Amino acid sequence: MNFFCRLLGHTWVPKFDSPKTRWNTGESAAELIATPTGKPRLYDECARCRAQQDAPVRSRETKAS
Ligand SMILES: [Zn+2]
């Protein structure tokens, strides 16, 4: 674990991962069509140490800036 994470706690950043989304070009080549073939995954990732947690913490809406 990162030193600052141990000191201050993790800094969770919401992440969205959909590894099974296929991108296809539409009728025009400038158009991209997403074809989800699996379930997208929402998770939180620590901005410092890249630790991940599956259950997103949404109880407190703090926007770190
Ligand atoms: Zn961390």
Side-chain angles (χ1 to χ4, degrees), residues 8-65:
L8 307 165
H10 294 294
T11 303
W12 297 116
V13 177
K15 295 273 181 174
F16 181 76
D17 187 24
S18 52
K20 283 173 184 164
T21 298
R22 289 197 317 206
W23 291 93
N24 300 309
T25 48
E27 307 236 335
S28 68
E31 186 181 15
L32 277 176
I33 297 174
T35 309
T37 55
K39 199 182 173 191
R41 180 173 167 240
L42 265 173
Y43 63 98
D44 283 350
E45 185 182 87
C46 180
R48 276 187 292 260
C49 71
R50 304 291 173 199
Q52 293 182 2
Q53 65 175 16
D54 262 317
V57 179
R58 294 288 177 273
S59 51
R60 56 196 174 100
E61 287 289 324
T62 49
K63 191 160 189 175
S65 56

